[in-house]
Amino acid sequence: MLEIDDLYASIGDTPILNGLSLSINAGEVHAIMGPNGSGKSTLAQIIAGHEDYVVTSGTVTYKGNDLLGLEPEQRAREGIFLGFQYPVEIPGVNNAYLLKAAVNAGRIHRGQDEVDAFEFLKIAREKMAQLGMDPKFLNRGVNEGFSGGEKKRNEILQMALLEPELAILDETDSGLDIDALKAVAEGINSLRSPERAIVLVTHYQRLLDYVEPDFVHVLSEGKILRSGDKSLAMELEDKGYDWVREAASA
Amino acid sequence: MTAPALSSEALADAVENLPRSALSATRQAALAQFLERGFPTTRLEDWKYTDLGTIVDISRRWLENGAPVPASAAMDDQIAEVRSSIDADWLVLANGRIMDGALDAAIPGITIKALSELPQGPNFERPLADLNAALLSDGLHISIGPGAEQERPLGFLIIDSAESDPGVSQIRIEIDVAADAQAQLIEYHTSTGNAGHYSNSVIACTLAEGASAEYVRVQNRDLKHSQTQRTSMRLAARSVLRYCGFDLGGQLIRNDLDIDIAGSEADASINGLYVAGDGQHIDNHVRVDHRTGPARSAQEYRGILGGRCRCVWNGKAIVHKGADGTDAKQANHNLLLTEGAEIDAKPELEIYADDVKCSHGTTVGQLDEAALFYLRTRGLDRKEATRALTRAFGASIVSRLPIASMSESLAAMVESRLRGLANGELS
């Protein structure tokens, strides 16, 4: 589904990704782990189409086509979803408006009829109940005045409504108490399917206790140092990131 | 003051050719003053960002053509459209003339007269009020009595057409709201035609003790047409004003809003939204005089600027000696969508009393790129995301609309203007 080949990228004059390669297939859950500043979030932002990052070489193909030439909205409509590490507060833009506009943008792109307001609200309320979200959040500004946990639940709600083919969740576990973490993990698990790939970008192994990955990758200094199964995450938790770095340079 | 750039003979002829009425004497006096003072120029502090050259030019060409007043039949469709989109008892002023029916409208508790029926001629002290009084055909005087029961707001539909020749029109409306009376008032300005047009309005409204007014002004003129307007509001003790103004159209627009807090415990909320695109110049000067206290005034203006345009906001609050207990707030926030958009924002406070609470703040910003990206990652294209963010920026003013029955149509007008900005002027 997603093929990243020898990707180099920078922001301004600062190189961040240094020859990153990764292959993700439908049905798989990948965890990308690594210390702060290793390039995890950059990778997520590049896949979503953030214009501040410049790809200097390498390729990213998605469902067989070049991804890097697409605008962020085209990527979204093609089924890519980025769950933000820091969801943006947008006062005055109604959460329900955004959710409905987002769902319909995808539907129009796929040649489907737009969902009407009544049907949309029904589905949104169902998904919110599953995530333990108060329906009043629909009528608030997007993320406006939401707590950290509420923002992350709102990201998962968006993902649940958009039903992406490739979901990249950037530090979705950070700042969550245990109840919120469980709710978010359940939300993610309920979306696991043979047609869908999920990428968890995380600093800690904590989320992986609840969402079991098929593959774990360790990212450091802009490239993948090591890949393995879920046991790699356990090992990292015991030995720390230095262990991977030392092993890689040895 | 400089001499007017208009031919004084042509101007005198135009005044002379107006229908004779009790206003004739005032016209001559006002003409004499205008011939002496002329149009305000950029050398005056209050006018330094707004060059009235376009307006002087339209006026000159209009006078050269013999100061014609076009027939208003061409505007029937537009009048019908406004009537159907906003529910109000409309009094129509077309090309500066009071349309048939306006003076006979029967609304319980409300008395409507022509200014020419009043014993005293209109005041023409302030800049451009002299030009207005000199060229005024007639105006409206509205008395809203304590027993007025408005089923719907009273609306002034001010409409002009300049199909092939330049046009100039003068509007004057005086409104008295009696003690403890309640009024809902709408001013809607619109225009049509491809030639240049200049409308000069003077509105004076007094709120007697304990009166309240909910007042909405919408200026939705053709983008080739220009307007100056002076609105004076006088608030007696315990009166309450909820004012909201929208400037969506027009080429060169200058609004002077003077709020006179004349009685204690008066309360004025003044909100405004201006949306400007390519070629527009919108200047809002708001002055609040706190003459006595305790009393409150709060104003917030917001601007959405795209294309190559210029806007001016000047908010002045003067707390006079003895106006203790004044609470005066002013704020102005601007969203600049393009490199070519320019705003001159200036809050001014003059305080001569001791016990006052005053605050002011202005901001100028661009679209939040992080928010834009966030919306785009959800599938909204750049235009839609931009519109959502600009709409959100204006929503805080739209949501304060004091006349709830027109909020839907007003939101649609703002939306339509934002759509125009996004389609033509954001490249």
Side-chain angles (χ1 to χ4, degrees), chain B residues 154-183:
Chain B
L154 180 63
F156 305 104
L157 174 49
I158 296 153
I159 182 165
D160 294 289
S161 72
E163 295 302 335
S164 48
D165 297 315
V168 172
S169 61
Q170 311 295 332
I171 296 295
R172 169 99 52 163
I173 302 170
E174 297 177 359
I175 305 154
D176 287 335
V177 186
D180 298 315
Q182 297 181 354

Side-chain angles (χ1 to χ4, degrees), chain B residues 303-370:
Chain B
I304 299 170
L305 287 69
R308 288 184 62 80
C309 72
R310 188 173 191 183
C311 291
V312 181
W313 174 82
N314 184 291
K316 186 187 278 189
I318 303 172
V319 183
H320 293 261
K321 197 164 186 296
D324 293 303
T326 288
D327 180 353
K329 291 191 196 75
Q330 34 180 347
N332 172 237
H333 302 293
N334 297 282
L335 179 60
L336 270 54
L337 299 171
T338 52
E339 292 278 320
E342 190 184 335
I343 173 78
D344 294 291
K346 188 178 172 194
E348 291 181 70
L349 270 175
E350 289 178 29
I351 302 171
Y352 304 102
D354 299 322
D355 173 23
V356 300
K357 209 164 80 182
C358 292
S359 68
H360 62 76
T362 62
T363 61
V364 178
Q366 286 153 4
L367 274 184
D368 179 352
E369 284 295 330

Side-chain angles (χ1 to χ4, degrees), chain B residues 139-156:
Chain B
L140 289 174
H141 185 274
I142 311 292
S143 295
I144 298 179
E149 282 176 25
Q150 285 184 265
E151 266 178 51
R152 54 187 72 84
L154 180 63
F156 305 104

Side-chain angles (χ1 to χ4, degrees), chain B residues 80-103:
Chain B
E81 198 183 310
V82 175
R83 282 183 187 277
S84 70
S85 76
I86 302 171
D87 185 33
D89 286 317
W90 288 107
L91 309 181
V92 183
L93 296 141
N95 291 321
R97 299 291 190 268
I98 301 167
M99 291 278 274
D100 291 347
L103 291 168

Side-chain angles (χ1 to χ4, degrees), chain B residues 55 92 106 134 171 187 241 250 275 285 297 301 325-326:
Chain B
I55 281 170
V92 183
I171 296 295
E187 253 176 65
L241 172 67
V275 182
H285 267 64
S297 73
Y301 272 69
T326 288

Side-chain angles (χ1 to χ4, degrees), chain A residues 62-77:
Chain A
Y62 171 65
K63 296 195 286 188
N65 299 313
D66 172 41
L67 179 70
L68 299 175
L70 298 181
E71 297 291 331
E73 58 269 29
Q74 293 171 314
R75 302 178 193 206
R77 293 168 192 177

Side-chain angles (χ1 to χ4, degrees), chain B residues 24-45:
Chain B
S24 297
T26 309
R27 285 181 196 141
Q28 292 301 332
L31 173 65
Q33 180 180 304
F34 180 74
L35 290 175
E36 189 192 324
R37 291 189 183 178
F39 285 99
T41 72
T42 54
R43 274 178 287 171
L44 298 169
E45 180 65 24

